[in-house]
Amino acid sequence: MKRNELTLAELESLAREEKVTGKTVGCLVALQSDDEEIRTWATEVLSGPAEPSEEEEAEIASVMQSTFANGAASQSWSAVEADQLYWCATMLGRMDAISESSRESLQMLAECSADDLQGASRRAKSVLGRIA
């Protein structure tokens, strides 16, 4: 299990909650799992009850930056990485306010024209437009 990755049972339980705070980073990390069922449940939590806490902002931006950097040299990202970047941008967009560092991470993604990241890039642009 990777750092902060939640188990399948934890993810299934969280998906049934009405509101989940403080587990966003764990769900984002779970998106990297080799287990498709874990990725599916992590997406379920992120698309539903997940509400990132202020304390998670820097770590969400860090996940975004490291995932982006993984493919930046070759301008090629896997579908899993593209999904993770999409959800990082989405989670930052759910926050009331974000730091300049997080804004810069979103801007980096928004400006990326790689085919692999079209959805993630559009999401980052949307978030930046909303918080501008």
Side-chain angles (χ1 to χ4, degrees):
M1 193 178 312
K2 296 179 175 114
R3 88 186 153 99
N4 294 332
E5 185 177 316
L6 299 167
T7 66
L8 181 58
E10 289 171 318
L11 289 165
E12 288 176 354
S13 176
L14 291 173
R16 291 177 180 86
E17 297 291 325
E18 193 168 312
K19 178 179 174 183
V20 174
T21 304
K23 299 291 185 179
T24 302
V25 173
C27 289
L28 291 170
V29 171
L31 292 174
Q32 299 171 350
S33 176
D34 294 332
D35 185 330
E36 185 176 348
E37 196 169 7
I38 286 177
R39 291 193 312 269
T40 298
W41 281 103
T43 300
E44 191 71 24
V45 176
L46 292 168
S47 66
E51 293 187 21
S53 66
E54 290 180 24
E55 295 78 21
E56 291 181 295
E57 180 195 351
E59 203 165 354
I60 293 168
S62 175
V63 170
M64 177 184 275
Q65 290 165 356
S66 64
T67 303
F68 187 85
N70 284 342
S74 63
Q75 286 288 293
S76 176
W77 290 266
S78 70
V80 168
E81 290 170 325
D83 195 39
Q84 188 175 44
L85 288 166
Y86 172 90
W87 284 109
C88 285
T90 299
M91 292 300 108
L92 289 174
R94 288 188 186 172
M95 302 189 80
D96 292 331
I98 61 172
S99 68
E100 186 60 33
S101 174
S102 292
R103 240 180 251 270
E104 289 170 7
S105 296
L106 284 166
Q107 190 66 44
M108 172 185 65
L109 180 57
E111 292 173 357
C112 183
S113 60
D115 289 342
D116 301 338
L117 297 183
Q118 285 183 0
S121 179
R122 278 193 304 273
R123 177 52 57 110
K125 287 175 187 170
S126 172
V127 170
L128 287 167
R130 185 189 63 76
I131 62 175

